[in-house]
Structures are given as structure tokens and as C-alpha cells.
Amino acid sequence: MNFLLPRAAAALVLPLFYLLMMVISSYRRRAYQIYMTGRGRAGVKSSQLMMLMALILLVPALMRPVSNPRLISREQKGRNLVFLVDVSRSMLAEDLVPSRLERARYDILNAMDALQGNRVALVAFAGTPVLKCPLTKDYAYFRAAMEDLSVNSVSRGGTNLGDAIRVVLDDLFDPDDRSAMDIILITDGEDQDSFPLESASRAGREGIRVVTVGLGDDSEGAPLPGAEGQEVMTYEDKAVLSRADMKTLKAMAEATEGGWSVAVREGRIPLERIIGRINGSGEQRSTGKGERYEYDEHYRWFLIPSLLLFCAALLAESGFLKRRRR
């Protein structure tokens, strides 16, 4: 027998702590008896013993005991998702905590479980786009590429939304199979005349859906961090402000069938909901075979006795069992 969650053994601190409380409680009762009657003895109530045993049995249940491992290979279905992430300097604005770019990186990494079954790719862009991770089901590789993402991932500054989408269309997607393709564009929407709407319209004509996620304040804007020694970036003694261009991003998404836009002005990016909506509203294609282990689970051997002892301890403590005996 093996345990899938051996770290859960740390929960052993619960019965140990309860045992300590039992000993302290027992000696307090003994001290009270001596004070009241002049004599006393240390004892442990049956309800306490049952509670202790319940906690002890709960620990191996939490550790998930298993046996008979079997490697199961199954055909998986999903979609091809390309994360197109803006790494320009405007993404360093701190209207999202800790910054727009760090918010995007952190939330994508935390949505990894929702990606299961899909092939994923990562393209970083600023003045030029760079493929950081090709379409793959190697989520460890995708995670490593995502963790390495920064404003230094692209050598040329600026923001060219249109060029980034064109590179995805020309170099990443198979032109003969585009019925299960999606681009998740994460940016503040600022663009330097790269014709983003035309690129999105082309994606729509070729059967690729674009979902745009706009990061940051789209009204007043947010200042950009300055160079070393400067708190904020300035131009002609005025702070340079970056505003999210949701108008452009919404138009880009609507240029593709089924596309939509999400504005994130504060808090987290709802990527789990976005990915779930993508998976539930588009054609699923075979993305290859997936392998995983299946086991015979034995946690019930420990959990059921633990629950029974817990209930018995509560009944004993309430005096129910004593009243039944009377």
C-alpha cells in the first residue's frame, strides 16, 4: 500500500495536540477533586479516548492510501489555445497588483489545471512577437516558459497587436485545421498602428476565435515606473500614463465568430471561467493520448471508523449513552 499525499502526515499534529489537552484536562480534574474532597485520581473519559482514536484514523485517510496502480491511456479532446501576452513597458503599470504583466503571469500559472486536455502555446510580444512555447501538451514546458516571461522576453520595444496576431496565423496554426483554434490576447490594448482590427478580422475569416483580456484602468490611466532614480516615467515634466484601450480590444474580439472581451480593471483575471467558456462553446478535437495512473482507493477503511468514533464521542460527551443505559 502506498500513499498519494504523504505530506498529509503533518496532520498527525492534531491527535498529538489533542492528547496533550487530554493529559492537561485529566490532571486539572484530579487537582479539582483533591481540592474539593482531599483525594483524587487522574483519569481519562471514554469520550476523549474515542475522539483521540478518531483523529488518529483521520490522518491515514487524508494521506489517501492506494494500491494496484494501473497506467491508463486515453484519447483526449480539447482545443488549441494560444496565449498572446503583451510584455511591453506599459504592462509594468501598477494599477493591477503587483503590475499588469505580473498579474497576467501569476493568473495564467494558477489556471494551469483548467488547461488539461488542451494544447497550449505562448507568444510574447511588444514591438515584435516571439514564440516562447509552441503548441504542446507538455504543461511543464509551458509553465517554465510562462515563469520566464518578462519585459526582456522581446528585444524590440513598442506594442504591435496586429503583427502578433499575424505571426500566430502564419507560423503557428496549421492552415488545414483551424476549427478548434483560439487566441487569448492579454494586453492593455495600446497599439502603434499595426492594424490590429484587420488582423483579428483575418483570424475570424480563417475560423480562429479571438478572446481579448484588457488589463488596467481605461479611464484615468496609470503611471509607468521610471528608470533608475525616477519614481515614474515622465515626458516634458509630466507623468506618462497608460490607459487600457478596451474599445479596440472589444472590436477585435467581435471581429471573430464567438469572440468576446474581458476588462480587468482590478483584482484577478478570471482565466478559469474564460477557459471553461472556451471549452464549452467550441468544437473539441483530438489532442492526442493522455496517460494517467488509476488506483484502488482505501481511504474509506480509515475514514468510516473515524467518523463513527467521532459521532460516538459526541454522544458519550452529551450523556446520551448514559441515559440509554439507565
Side-chain angles (χ1 to χ4, degrees):
M1 183 181 294
N2 294 316
F3 294 96
L4 291 183
L5 299 175
R7 292 183 180 179
L12 192 61
V13 69
L14 294 175
L16 291 177
F17 179 77
Y18 188 78
L19 178 61
L20 177 62
M21 293 298 99
M22 280 175 54
V23 173
I24 293 174
S25 174
S26 174
Y27 278 94
R28 280 183 175 176
R29 286 198 305 273
R30 180 174 181 270
Y32 179 75
Q33 290 171 358
I34 292 174
Y35 176 77
M36 296 297 294
T37 65
R39 58 184 179 179
R41 61 184 181 86
V44 176
K45 296 192 292 185
S46 60
S47 61
Q48 291 178 320
L49 288 174
M50 286 187 286
M51 185 66 75
L52 178 62
M53 289 301 300
L55 291 172
I56 292 173
L57 288 171
L58 184 61
V59 174
L62 293 174
M63 294 171 66
R64 286 192 64 187
V66 295
S67 65
N68 190 23
R70 304 174 297 278
L71 184 61
I72 305 298
S73 178
R74 291 179 178 172
E75 191 74 23
Q76 289 188 324
K77 289 188 175 183
R79 297 182 63 81
N80 295 318
L81 308 181
V82 177
F83 286 87
L84 197 53
V85 182
D86 187 350
V87 294
S88 61
R89 284 194 58 82
S90 63
M91 291 289 283
L92 296 178
E94 297 176 352
D95 45 358
L96 295 182
V97 179
S99 70
R100 296 172 183 175
L101 180 56
E102 285 301 302
R103 182 78 263 167
R105 193 170 67 88
Y106 181 81
D107 288 343
I108 292 173
L109 289 171
N110 278 283
M112 291 291 294
D113 288 344
L115 295 173
Q116 301 301 314
N118 298 303
R119 290 199 300 168
V120 291
L122 174 64
V123 175
F125 74 93
T128 55
V130 175
L131 177 63
K132 307 298 289 184
C133 175
L135 275 171
T136 181
K137 287 187 68 178
D138 186 347
Y139 299 121
Y141 181 42
F142 177 82
R143 176 181 287 276
M146 198 68 238
E147 289 176 344
D148 193 46
L149 203 64
S150 72
V151 292
N152 299 317
S153 298
V154 176
S155 58
R156 181 181 166 192
T159 309
N160 290 326
L161 297 174
D163 291 347
I165 292 181
R166 280 188 287 272
V167 164
V168 172
L169 298 179
D170 293 336
D171 300 337
L172 194 59
F173 283 161
D174 183 352
D176 297 325
D177 184 17
R178 300 193 171 194
S179 59
M181 308 286 188
D182 300 282
I183 295 174
I184 302 177
L185 174 61
I186 301 178
T187 177
D188 52 29
E190 294 184 345
D191 181 69
Q192 297 177 337
D193 300 323
S194 66
F195 306 104
L197 185 56
E198 287 78 356
S199 294
S201 298
R202 177 189 161 192
R205 290 193 301 271
E206 297 184 13
I208 298 172
R209 176 170 50 186
V210 176
V211 178
T212 58
V213 180
L215 303 185
D217 186 356
D218 56 352
S219 56
E220 297 181 2
L224 301 181
E228 188 174 351
Q230 277 188 316
E231 185 175 351
V232 297
M233 184 184 295
T234 59
Y235 178 73
E236 295 182 350
D237 297 328
K238 293 183 179 179
V240 177
L241 300 179
S242 172
R243 295 178 180 84
D245 186 356
M246 289 307 304
K247 182 179 179 180
T248 297
L249 294 178
K250 184 177 180 181
M252 291 175 67
E254 291 177 347
T256 66
E257 185 177 354
W260 74 93
S261 62
V262 178
V264 181
R265 299 176 180 88
E266 60 182 5
R268 297 177 61 249
I269 304 172
L271 277 171
E272 292 90 347
R273 292 206 303 271
I274 292 172
I275 295 168
R277 181 174 171 181
I278 287 174
N279 290 335
S281 60
E283 179 185 352
Q284 301 284 310
R285 287 294 186 92
S286 173
T287 55
K289 289 187 176 182
E291 293 183 341
R292 65 187 182 91
Y293 280 98
E294 290 188 355
Y295 308 86
D296 293 335
E297 298 265 8
H298 304 303
Y299 68 92
R300 298 178 186 82
W301 296 358
F302 302 94
L303 182 60
I304 293 174
S306 175
L307 293 176
L308 292 175
L309 284 168
F310 180 74
C311 293
L314 292 179
L315 291 174
E317 188 67 26
S318 66
F320 177 79
L321 295 180
K322 290 180 181 179
R323 290 196 298 271
R324 292 284 294 177
R325 283 197 293 270
R326 292 197 190 104

